[in-house]
Amino acid sequence: MELDPSIAALEHRLGMDSFRRRLRVEHALQGAVHRFSTNPKSNLAKLLMRSRLLHQAMRLVGLYQIGYRQFLYPRIVTRDVPLAGLPAAMEGVTILQLSDLHLDLDPGLGAILAPLLDGLQYDLAVITGDFRNLLVGPAEPAIAATANLLRHLRGPVYAVAGNHDSLGMIPPLEAAGARFLLNEHVVWSRGNARLVLAGVDDAVYHGTHDLDRAFAGAPNDAPRVLFSHSPAIYREATRHQVDLLLAGHTHGGQICLPGGHIVISGLRCPRRYLRGAWTYEGMQGYTSAGTGASGVPLRFNCPAEVTLHRLVRG
Ligand SMILES: [Fe+2]
């Protein structure tokens, strides 16, 4: 099949092996979801049926509105990130992180986020993947809603793709102002001080994250920040001298037991990496609980978040 030239042009950025692997996995996912969703006896069909029944039951007992409010009003998390070796000129540099927007799930979220983002102060922004609600299918509603939201972010805005995102979504999102880091890095400067900002492709379903490629040619004397949809690459990140890893994917559990106890995270990973701040062998890490939600526009005991990471000298 002939590839759209704008998609084919991503091969030299992602790397040939990762590019081909991603196309194969995207194709396989489409086939699998189609087979499961058209077979009424499949696990997916049963899951969808149970989810619809759960919806109805929650509406009846008034729980739906409670969960919907928790989904719709993300909290702003502001945190200091102490980094050894941070140049004085980088003191206070603030990274805005949005993650797992899935904006096509519910039009209400974009409308709430726009004015909230207008009022924030930061130096650069990153969206750590998952722009679309479903794993496959039309991406246009997610692209249009994200493009609207990007008008409320001040540049530069970086992004990485998540397990819900396809290569075909990247050219229109880049045209709308998000610069994807496809196993790539950029050097961000303030005065004479430099910061390496690297991003890797999705490690969750596609396995197309390539840290060697992302850091190839990056200066060794500047702090390194890595953006990844999945936090589960933390061991590989330390092998590339990463100082700060920003990730998402887990939604912090999205629907949690009282006390925030995570029931489902969608990731095989020790519990401490599933939500919030963590460290591993001296590397700082943060897993966003997600700005949006997927599947259902509901959250329980797990607030959505917009995160401001303020770098300070450690
Ligand atoms: Fe997600």
Side-chain angles (χ1 to χ4, degrees):
M1 194 180 73
E2 190 83 6
L3 272 182
D4 184 289
S6 66
I7 299 174
L10 302 177
E11 178 171 350
H12 78 277
R13 293 173 56 188
L14 201 60
M16 188 178 72
D17 289 346
S18 296
F19 181 79
R20 290 182 180 175
R21 181 179 167 87
R22 212 189 208 281
L23 288 178
R24 276 200 310 276
V25 176
E26 285 184 9
H27 187 71
L29 266 176
Q30 276 172 10
V33 170
H34 178 74
R35 275 195 305 282
F36 283 124
S37 56
T38 51
N39 175 1
K41 289 184 179 165
S42 73
N43 287 338
L44 183 64
K46 287 176 191 164
L47 193 70
L48 289 172
M49 175 60 77
R50 281 183 204 143
S51 149
R52 276 194 283 273
L53 288 172
L54 185 68
H55 253 210
Q56 293 303 329
M58 291 209 314
R59 279 186 194 281
L60 281 174
V61 298
L63 266 178
Y64 192 92
Q65 280 310 315
I66 295 171
Y68 186 64
R69 269 199 301 275
Q70 290 188 29
F71 152 76
L72 202 53
Y73 296 100
R75 62 179 181 153
I76 297 169
V77 175
T78 305
R79 59 185 297 266
D80 282 355
V81 184
L83 295 183
L86 188 75
M90 290 286 176
E91 176 81 17
V93 163
T94 299
I95 303 173
L96 167 74
Q97 183 188 11
L98 306 176
S99 195
D100 299 270
L101 285 163
H102 302 284
L103 282 180
D104 51 334
L105 174 65
D106 187 291
L109 181 61
I112 295 282
L113 279 174
L116 186 150
L117 294 173
D118 285 339
L120 298 180
Q121 297 295 323
Y122 54 90
D123 298 285
L124 58 105
V126 63
I127 307 174
T128 44
D130 272 11
F131 294 84
R132 174 168 61 180
N133 175 38
L134 298 176
L135 293 172
V136 298
E140 288 76 14
I143 292 166
T146 308
N148 278 336
L149 195 72
L150 285 167
R151 295 193 193 101
H152 297 270
L153 292 176
R154 291 179 301 283
V157 180
Y158 298 101
V160 289
N163 56 312
H164 283 240
D165 307 320
S166 64
L167 288 178
M169 296 166 67
I170 293 173
L173 287 172
E174 290 208 316
R179 162 68 159 98
F180 276 72
L181 295 170
L182 302 171
N183 297 329
E184 298 170 294
H185 74 266
V186 293
V187 178
W188 190 83
S189 304
R190 174 182 271 183
N192 289 330
R194 299 184 297 173
L195 203 57
V196 174
L197 305 172
V200 287
D201 198 37
D202 173 46
V204 180
Y205 285 171
H206 302 89
T208 42
H209 56 301
D210 184 341
L211 282 79
D212 287 340
R213 188 177 179 90
F215 285 105
N220 288 319
D221 58 351
R224 294 181 164 198
V225 181
L226 176 61
F227 307 131
S228 166
H229 185 56
S230 168
I233 60 162
Y234 58 91
R235 286 191 203 88
E236 288 171 80
T238 55
R239 288 199 283 275
H240 290 80
Q241 293 77 50
V242 170
D243 297 285
L244 171 63
L245 169 58
L246 299 182
H249 176 65
T250 65
H251 299 196
Q254 188 173 323
I255 293 178
C256 295
L257 296 175
H261 185 79
I262 296 172
V263 183
I264 299 170
S265 73
L267 197 64
R268 276 194 194 158
C269 191
R271 201 159 268 272
R272 60 191 293 260
Y273 303 106
L274 295 180
R275 183 174 60 214
W278 45 267
T279 59
Y280 177 75
E281 292 188 354
M283 178 179 73
Q284 304 280 328
Y286 191 88
T287 307
S288 167
T291 313
S294 64
V296 287
L298 299 173
R299 281 181 173 265
F300 289 100
N301 304 304
C302 181
E305 67 179 73
V306 168
T307 323
L308 291 165
H309 306 275
R310 183 175 171 272
L311 308 187
V312 296
R313 290 207 278 171

